[in-house]
């Protein structure tokens, strides 16, 4: 540290060791005239320091510069900015000089899409665990990586404004707007607002999950009702059911299998088969008539299928039932 202190003192500039956060991270406060601290004047000094470290000490280094401070109150923010430069730089380069003003927007651009996209995915799927995980990771980034106040506010603002697209409830919309208003009136993101953001995202996810579940039930009921109304129609098919319910046949296939555990036409066959067996047990109608009334066309094909499912022919089934009765 003495080496760095001695070699950084040039003309009207003084260097003070602020702290040593951990091995390899040294923070300094540089006091100089405004003219000296202009980047075009200050950068050559940092390059000189960088070269001395490289050549004399034979080690790599990332030199990070935070914003210029106009008062002692701004020093902590400038220190966080420098730490942000180091964090960003260590993932991009092995050594070099990085100025906060050059990476701030790029850093925000890098981190926001992943965070917001993950939360949106959790909201859409109703996966509240995914939302909790990303918010926990975000808290760590805010605390450990010393993100600037601007970065923190920008990220939270992006999450909240994105969530507005996924709200159906006036109550949740009002709550989100209150959080946004609070965010715009504070100096820095705090634990209270992080918890509020997590809670509102989880509430939106749960609301969408409930809404989707209700819509799924309504659609499933509509499909079942359509099938029952047209069960005895020999022209009933996957395409005709889909068209009758206002959805595509491919979506009908996926949706029905996911909610019922069988394909749409397997369900139709099961209902028709139950109708046939009921008529075989309770009427003396010939098989051909029964099949016509229940939507079957191919009698020989039906007999093969019936035998495959019941282990006997339809006529044997009728006879067996009546003998048992």
């Amino acid at each position: 540290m003495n080496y760095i202190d001695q070699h950084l003192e040039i003309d009207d500039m003084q260097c003070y060791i602020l702290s040593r956060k951990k091995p390899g991270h040294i923070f300094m406060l540089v006091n100089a005239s405004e003219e000296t601290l202009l980047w075009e004047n200050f950068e050559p000094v940092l390059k000189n320091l960088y070269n001395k470290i490289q050549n004399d000490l034979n080690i790599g280094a990332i030199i990070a510069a935070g914003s210029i401070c106009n008062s002692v109150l701004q020093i902590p923010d400038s220190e966080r900015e420098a730490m942000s430069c180091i964090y960003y730089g260590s993932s991009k380069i092995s050594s070099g000089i990085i100025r906060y003003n050059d990476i701030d927007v790029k850093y925000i651009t890098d981190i926001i899409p992943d965070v917001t996209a993950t939360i949106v995915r959790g909201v859409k799927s109703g996966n509240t665990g995914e939302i909790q995980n990303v918010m926990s990771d975000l808290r760590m980034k805010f605390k450990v990586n010393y993100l600037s106040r601007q970065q923190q506010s920008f990220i939270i603002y992006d999450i909240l404004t994105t969530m507005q697209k996924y709200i159906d409830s006036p109550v949740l919309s009002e709550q989100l707007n209150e959080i946004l208003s609070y965010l715009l009136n504070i100096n820095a993101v705090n634990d209270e607002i992080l918890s509020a953001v997590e809670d509102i995202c989880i509430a939106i996810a749960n609301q969408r999950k409930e809404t989707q579940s209700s819509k799924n039930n309504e659609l499933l009921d509509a499909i079942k009702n359509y099938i029952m109304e047209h069960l005895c129609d020999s022209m009933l098919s996957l395409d005709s059911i889909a068209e009758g319910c206002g959805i595509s046949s491919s979506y009908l296939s996926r949706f029905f299998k996911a909610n019922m555990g069988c394909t749409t036409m397997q369900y139709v066959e099961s209902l028709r088969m139950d109708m046939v067996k009921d008529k075989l047990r309770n009427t003396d109608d010939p098989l051909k008539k029964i099949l016509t009334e229940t939507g079957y066309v191919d009698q020989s094909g039906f007999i093969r299928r019936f035998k495959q499912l019941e282990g006997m022919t339809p006529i044997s089934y009728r006879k067996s039932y009546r003998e048992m009765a």
Side-chain angles (χ1 to χ4, degrees):
M1 285 191 291
N2 289 334
Y3 173 91
I4 296 173
D5 188 14
Q6 292 168 7
H7 285 79
L8 191 60
E9 293 184 3
I10 299 175
D11 299 332
D12 62 345
M13 184 166 59
Q14 295 292 317
C15 168
Y16 304 94
I17 303 297
L18 278 184
S19 62
R20 185 171 184 172
K21 295 287 184 181
K22 59 181 180 179
H25 286 177
I26 300 173
F27 287 85
M28 298 182 178
L29 173 64
V30 174
N31 190 15
S33 65
E34 292 182 11
E35 181 180 354
T36 301
L37 290 177
L38 289 175
W39 186 246
E40 56 266 30
N41 296 326
F42 190 52
E43 185 179 22
V45 177
L46 293 183
K47 284 184 176 178
N48 182 53
L49 171 64
Y50 177 75
N51 290 332
K52 285 182 178 294
I53 294 174
Q54 290 279 88
N55 298 329
D56 296 355
L57 300 181
N58 194 29
I59 58 173
I62 293 177
I63 297 180
S67 298
I68 296 174
C69 301
N70 296 314
S71 75
V72 293
L73 297 177
Q74 295 175 328
I75 292 176
D77 277 344
S78 184
E79 185 179 354
R80 279 192 290 269
E81 290 173 357
M83 188 64 194
S84 180
C85 288
I86 293 172
Y87 175 75
Y88 177 80
S90 63
S91 65
K92 305 294 182 182
I93 59 176
S94 57
S95 61
I97 299 173
I98 305 173
R99 185 173 60 152
Y100 177 77
N101 289 343
D102 293 334
I103 66 97
D104 192 29
V105 173
K106 179 67 169 63
Y107 188 83
I108 291 173
T109 305
D110 281 349
I111 191 173
I112 281 181
D114 289 340
V115 171
T116 305
T118 304
I119 290 179
V120 167
R121 186 170 62 245
V123 165
K124 283 183 173 181
S125 63
N127 187 344
T128 56
E130 190 167 24
I131 295 172
Q132 290 172 329
N133 288 338
V134 74
M135 288 303 299
S136 175
D137 182 62
L138 199 58
R139 282 188 175 89
M140 180 273 294
K141 281 183 167 64
F142 281 11
K143 184 177 181 180
V144 177
N145 299 330
Y146 295 87
L147 298 174
S148 72
R149 293 178 180 180
Q150 178 193 13
Q151 290 170 331
Q152 294 180 16
S153 297
F154 202 100
I155 292 168
I156 296 303
Y157 181 81
D158 186 74
I159 293 171
L160 292 173
T161 52
T162 301
M163 286 301 100
Q164 288 177 320
K165 306 172 187 176
Y166 300 96
I167 293 181
D168 295 326
S169 164
V171 175
L172 289 181
S173 181
E174 184 178 348
Q175 290 176 0
L176 187 142
N177 288 332
E178 288 176 358
I179 299 171
L180 268 174
S181 178
Y182 177 66
L183 175 65
L184 296 174
N185 286 284
I186 60 175
N187 295 324
V189 174
N190 51 40
D191 288 338
E192 182 181 353
I193 200 165
L194 286 173
S195 296
V197 170
E198 181 175 343
D199 290 345
I200 195 72
C201 289
I202 289 175
I204 295 170
N206 287 333
Q207 179 213 43
R208 285 179 59 87
K209 190 174 182 179
E210 291 173 5
T211 301
Q212 189 59 48
S213 177
S214 177
K215 289 180 178 178
N216 287 349
N217 290 337
E218 289 178 6
L219 178 57
L220 190 59
D221 288 342
I223 293 170
K224 289 180 177 180
N225 290 336
Y226 185 91
I227 289 174
M228 288 304 300
E229 290 173 6
H230 300 82
L231 188 61
C232 298
D233 183 353
S234 61
M235 300 300 291
L236 184 66
S237 66
L238 184 70
D239 290 338
S240 66
I241 298 170
E243 183 178 356
C245 295
I247 56 178
S248 69
S249 55
S250 58
Y251 181 77
L252 170 60
S253 295
R254 295 193 303 272
F255 175 83
F256 200 88
K257 182 68 178 291
N259 286 274
M260 294 295 292
C262 64
T263 69
T264 312
M265 298 315 292
Q266 284 173 342
Y267 180 76
V268 170
E269 181 189 38
S270 175
L271 293 177
R272 282 177 171 169
M273 194 65 71
D274 286 343
M275 288 180 66
V276 170
K277 289 192 288 187
D278 181 69
K279 288 180 179 292
L280 287 172
R281 292 192 302 264
N282 300 304
T283 74
D284 293 321
D285 294 342
L287 182 61
K288 184 175 181 179
K289 181 184 178 183
I290 292 175
L291 296 184
T292 300
E293 291 175 347
T294 53
Y296 285 102
V297 177
D298 181 4
Q299 180 171 326
S300 59
F302 172 82
I303 293 174
R304 287 195 300 272
R305 179 61 174 161
F306 191 96
K307 190 173 182 180
Q308 180 183 7
L309 294 173
E310 301 296 330
M312 63 183 73
T313 66
I315 302 304
S316 297
Y317 175 86
R318 169 182 275 172
K319 184 179 179 180
S320 174
Y321 175 81
R322 292 185 176 178
E323 286 177 353
M324 291 176 59

